[in-house]
Amino acid sequence: MLFDLHNDFPTRFLYADYCRHAPKSNNKVTAVIWTSEFAGDVESSVSDVTERLSAIGQEPIAIEDIEFSADGEKFRRFDFSRYLYCSLTWNYNTAFAGGALDDGRLTELGKSAIRIIEDSGCYIDLAHLNKNSFYDVLDCAKNVLCSHTGFNSHPRSLDRQQIKRLVERNAVIGICTVRAFTDARSAEQFANVIDAFVQKYGCDCLALGTDFNGSDDIPNDIDDYDKLLNVRDILYRRGYTEKSVDKIFFDNANILYKKER
């Protein structure tokens, strides 16, 4: 089984056949509504996509960048309870916080939004925050995750101190397949990244957050779920137990998903 915390298929296939991209069997694929792709009335677009996904039984659903809800403080009326997580930014500053490629900090409006989002049972996603905002939010929020990231020097990646703080909080970290964030150019190298993380921090917080459909910068031997599952076999050959691999590929994310918040 597999649980992907971050797949952008609702945006990539907004006007296509949703059912064709929905998760099959026991796999869970988080449908992430990437708001940066919308123009015009973003709130209506988010609601429309949410309704379409709900109609085909898709769950979980998440929102990448709630900047649209800052206008008129719409976040105070928005129903976040329908989503597993949401992020305050994409890569740039918003009225809420500073993005990974920018220099902003968590704002008072951002703190208000966090309280409302968490009261709804929705997690706060740290994936697109810069380091200052990352720690600001971490100190302010209770229920956090990092849905899709890497561990190199890229601004979108986490450094050792950030990882340590998340592990101390038992927060789930989704490893991304994007080469720019992992430096992995093959399934074997992707397994190396997983292995290096586990050797330092264990396997209780690591999950998958592929960013499929959100980037083309993905090694061609892990660019779909059937191929990605082959990474399990690589880990088995390296001596990983089935229990440890299941934690990374399904259980850690599923526990977070099922947790009463």
Side-chain angles (χ1 to χ4, degrees), residues 149-193:
T149 190
F151 311 122
N152 63 10
S153 59
H154 193 282
R156 272 282 286 107
S157 294
L158 300 176
D159 63 25
R160 291 183 181 181
Q161 185 59 34
Q162 289 174 296
I163 297 170
K164 182 173 181 290
R165 288 286 300 274
L166 289 173
V167 170
E168 289 171 350
R169 291 273 295 266
N170 295 313
V172 172
I173 302 170
I175 182 174
C176 192
T177 57
V178 177
R179 283 179 286 203
F181 308 155
T182 65
D183 297 325
R185 299 190 172 276
S186 66
E188 284 283 350
Q189 290 181 9
F190 189 71
N192 290 346
V193 178

Side-chain angles (χ1 to χ4, degrees), residues 17-87:
D17 178 9
Y18 281 86
C19 297
R20 191 157 51 93
H21 304 283
K24 304 298 189 295
S25 66
N26 292 322
N27 295 331
K28 286 186 171 64
V29 175
T30 307
V32 181
I33 303 172
W34 183 15
T35 65
S36 301
E37 297 293 280
F38 297 128
D41 186 349
V42 178
E43 183 179 15
S44 293
S45 296
V46 170
S47 296
D48 175 60
V49 175
T50 300
E51 292 301 329
R52 295 192 195 192
L53 292 170
S54 298
I56 64 168
Q58 165 66 43
E59 57 178 348
I61 307 172
I63 301 176
E64 188 167 32
D65 189 1
I66 63 162
E67 180 179 18
F68 69 91
S69 71
D71 184 27
E73 299 193 4
K74 293 177 183 176
F75 67 87
R76 298 187 185 279
R77 303 180 298 277
F78 191 81
D79 183 8
F80 290 102
S81 67
R82 306 183 70 173
Y83 307 96
L84 175 60
Y85 65 79
C86 64
S87 60

Side-chain angles (χ1 to χ4, degrees), residues 1-7 23-24 26-31 58-61 84-85 145 147 172-175 206-210 225 228-229 232 245-259 261:
M1 292 191 298
L2 177 147
F3 195 134
D4 184 5
L5 281 171
H6 197 97
N7 185 315
K24 304 298 189 295
N26 292 322
N27 295 331
K28 286 186 171 64
V29 175
T30 307
Q58 165 66 43
E59 57 178 348
I61 307 172
L84 175 60
Y85 65 79
L145 59 78
S147 66
V172 172
I173 302 170
I175 182 174
L206 190 61
L208 298 175
T210 64
Y225 291 119
L228 185 61
L229 287 173
R232 296 184 307 182
V245 172
D246 284 348
K247 283 184 176 183
I248 297 165
F249 277 75
F250 186 84
D251 292 339
N252 291 338
N254 195 50
I255 289 170
L256 172 143
Y257 175 53
K258 296 293 187 182
K259 183 179 178 181
R261 300 180 295 279

Side-chain angles (χ1 to χ4, degrees), residues 75-76 95-96 105-115:
F75 67 87
R76 298 187 185 279
F96 299 120
R105 300 292 295 260
L106 178 65
T107 66
E108 290 302 317
L109 199 67
K111 292 176 184 178
S112 296
I114 287 172
R115 287 192 290 270

